[in-house]
C-alpha cells in the first residue's frame, strides 16, 4: 500500500486553534469557538442532539452522530459548515465515529447485526469491515495515533463495561481496566502513550488517565467527554450541574489549572479540538505495511 496523504481539496481547515462544541442554541447546535471560549460562532443546525464530534486529522471535516427520536446516524460536514453528508442511513443505531489517522475511513459503533459491534467505513459511508463479533456489546472505538490499535468499551466477561485494546484487525484483545464499575469513552493522547476515559468507580462519572498499557491510572476530575489538546497538556471535558452542561479545560495531570468556558445556551458538551500547528501526517510503509506518522508537535520536542 502506498503513502496516504490528507486532502484539503473540499474544505479549508480552521487557521487557528478551534473547539467544535455541541450546544442547544437556536442558531445552531454545533458551534465553533477559540479554546479560551472567545469568538463563538454557529457552524451547523441539524435534527437531534449532535454527539461524538471529531475533527478529521487535517481539520477539513467534522464527524459526529445525532441522537433523535427517529434515528441515530453518523454524519460528516466540512469545516466551514457546508456539504453536510449522512454517512449511515440504517434502522440500526450508528454512533461514535472515530477517524483513522490517515483520514480515509472511520470506525464507529452499530447494532445493525443484533448487538453493538465496531465497524469501519470509508469517508463516503461505504462499510469496509465488521471488526468485532462478540455476543457482548462493543462500543466507542478510538484508533491509536499510529493506527495499529483500537481502544473501545465492552461488556465482555459479563461486566457493565471495561476498556479493551485490540489490534486494528480485531486480534490480540486485552482488558485495560478490569473493574466492576463502568468504564467508557477512551481517548488517546497525541503522543500515543496515554488514554483518558470515563469511569464510574466512585459512584459518579469521573475522568481518569492511564498509560496505553492500562497502568498508572490517575484521577483527573468529575467530568465527561475527555478530549486531549493537540499538545497533550490539557483536556477539554464536560461538567453537568443545575441543568447546565459546561466545557471545562483542565491540565491533563489533574494537578493544575481548571478553566470554565463561557456557555452557549445552557448545554455545551462533546468538544472537539483542532490546531493547524499540530497536524500529523500519516502514511503506510509499502514494505512492512507499518503505520507511520510525522509532523510537528512543538511542546513535545518534535520537528517538522
Amino acid at each position: 500500500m502506498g503513502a496516504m496523504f490528507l486532502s484539503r481539496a473540499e474544505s479549508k481547515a480552521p487557521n487557528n486553534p478551534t473547539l467544535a462544541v455541541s450546544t442547544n442554541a437556536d442558531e445552531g447546535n454545533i458551534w465553533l469557538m477559540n479554546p479560551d471560549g472567545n469568538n463563538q460562532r454557529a457552524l451547523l443546525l441539524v435534527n437531534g442532539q449532535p454527539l461524538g464530534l471529531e475533527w478529521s486529522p487535517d481539520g477539513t471535516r467534522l464527524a459526529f452522530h445525532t441522537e433523535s427520536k427517529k434515528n441515530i446516524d453518523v454524519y460528516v460536514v466540512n469545516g466551514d459548515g457546508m456539504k453536510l453528508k449522512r454517512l449511515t442511513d440504517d434502522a440500526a443505531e450508528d454512533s461514535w465515529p472515530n477517524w483513522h489517522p490517515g483520514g480515509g475511513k472511520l470506525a464507529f459503533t452499530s447494532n445493525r447485526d443484533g448487538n453493538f459491534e465496531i465497524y469501519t467505513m470509508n469517508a463516503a459511508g461505504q462499510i469496509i469491515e465488521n471488526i468485532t463479533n462478540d455476543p457482548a456489546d462493543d462500543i466507542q472505538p478510538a484508533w491509536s495515533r499510529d493506527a495499529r490499535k483500537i481502544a473501545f468499551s465492552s461488556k465482555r466477561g459479563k461486566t457493565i463495561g471495561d476498556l479493551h485494546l485490540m489490534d486494528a484487525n480485531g486480534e490480540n484483545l486485552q482488558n485495560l481496566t478490569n473493574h466492576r464499575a463502568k468504564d467508557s469513552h477512551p481517548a488517546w493522547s497525541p503522543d500515543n502513550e496515554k488514554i483518558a476515559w470515563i469511569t464510574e468507580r466512585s459512584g459518579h462519572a469521573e475522568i481518569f488517565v492511564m498509560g496505553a498499557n492500562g497502568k498508572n491510572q490517575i484521577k483527573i476530575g468529575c467530568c465527561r467527554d475527555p478530549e486531549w489538546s493537540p499538545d497533550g497538556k490539557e483536556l477539554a471535558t464536560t461538567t453537568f450541574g443545575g441543568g447546565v452542561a459546561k466545557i471545562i479545560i483542565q491540565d491533563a495531570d489533574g494537578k493544575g489549572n481548571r478553566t470554565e468556558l463561557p456557555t452557549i445556551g445552557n448545554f455545551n458538551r462533546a468538544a472537539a479540538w483542532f490546531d493547524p500547528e499540530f497536524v500529523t501526517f500519516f502514511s503506510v510503509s509499502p514494505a512492512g505495511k507499518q503505520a507511520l506518522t510525522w509532523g510537528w508537535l512543538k511542546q513535545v520536542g518534535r520537528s517538522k
Side-chain angles (χ1 to χ4, degrees):
M1 185 183 296
M4 298 168 58
F5 295 95
L6 306 179
S7 171
R8 294 174 180 262
E10 294 185 2
S11 175
K12 293 183 179 180
N15 55 17
N16 292 302
T18 301
L19 293 181
V21 178
S22 176
T23 79
N24 63 347
D26 293 337
E27 301 94 325
N29 48 16
I30 298 179
W31 281 57
L32 303 182
M33 66 174 73
N34 297 346
D36 61 4
N38 292 321
N39 192 23
Q40 296 179 346
R41 65 269 191 200
L43 177 75
L44 185 67
L45 178 64
V46 294
N47 292 325
Q49 176 184 343
L51 289 174
L53 276 62
E54 183 172 297
W55 290 104
S56 61
D58 64 352
T60 62
R61 293 167 291 175
L62 189 67
F64 59 94
H65 75 264
T66 61
E67 295 189 359
S68 67
K69 293 181 180 179
K70 293 183 178 180
N71 66 304
I72 299 178
D73 280 304
V74 175
Y75 293 78
V76 67
V77 65
N78 284 357
D80 56 8
M82 304 298 290
K83 295 187 178 180
L84 175 67
K85 181 178 177 60
R86 184 174 179 175
L87 295 186
T88 63
D89 189 1
D90 193 279
E93 295 183 12
D94 299 319
S95 59
W96 305 112
N98 181 258
W99 288 98
H100 182 279
K105 61 182 178 179
L106 304 97
F108 69 104
T109 302
S110 179
N111 64 351
R112 60 188 57 207
D113 288 331
N115 72 302
F116 287 105
E117 302 286 1
I118 294 171
Y119 292 76
T120 60
M121 61 180 164
N122 63 24
Q126 298 169 319
I127 302 298
I128 298 175
E129 185 180 8
N130 177 191
I131 297 180
T132 63
N133 187 8
D134 192 271
D137 287 340
D138 299 324
I139 62 174
Q140 299 159 351
W143 249 302
S144 62
R145 301 305 174 106
D146 61 7
R148 297 177 181 178
K149 300 285 186 177
I150 294 177
F152 63 102
S153 179
S154 178
K155 293 184 178 180
R156 300 183 189 209
K158 297 182 180 180
T159 67
I160 59 176
D162 279 327
L163 289 196
H164 286 71
L165 189 66
M166 63 181 174
D167 292 346
N169 62 3
E171 297 179 355
N172 297 320
L173 187 70
Q174 176 187 359
N175 189 328
L176 293 179
T177 54
N178 195 23
H179 197 278
R180 64 181 181 277
K182 182 179 180 181
D183 295 315
S184 61
H185 293 85
W188 288 84
S189 63
D191 62 7
N192 212 47
E193 295 182 358
K194 298 177 181 179
I195 296 174
W197 85 100
I198 302 173
T199 183
E200 298 181 7
R201 57 191 64 187
S202 296
H204 55 272
E206 297 176 309
I207 291 178
F208 274 52
V209 170
M210 63 182 167
N213 58 4
K215 298 180 180 180
N216 301 319
Q217 300 181 7
I218 62 171
K219 176 181 174 180
I220 301 299
C222 180
C223 299
R224 293 183 178 271
D225 306 330
E227 168 78 355
W228 291 87
S229 63
D231 65 6
K233 292 185 175 183
E234 297 176 302
L235 288 165
T237 62
T238 304
T239 184
F240 298 86
V244 177
K246 301 177 181 179
I247 302 297
I248 303 292
I249 305 296
Q250 53 190 310
D251 289 351
D253 59 8
K255 298 179 181 179
N257 297 323
R258 188 175 186 271
T259 304
E260 180 181 305
L261 300 189
T263 58
I264 304 167
N266 61 2
F267 181 90
N268 301 255
R269 64 173 300 188
W273 201 326
F274 176 75
D275 187 335
E277 292 196 28
F278 290 86
V279 170
T280 301
F281 297 93
F282 176 93
S283 80
V284 177
S285 168
K289 294 185 179 180
Q290 293 181 334
L292 303 173
T293 59
W294 68 94
W296 67 97
L297 292 179
K298 290 181 181 178
Q299 280 84 345
V300 294
R302 298 184 183 180
S303 62
K304 185 176 177 181

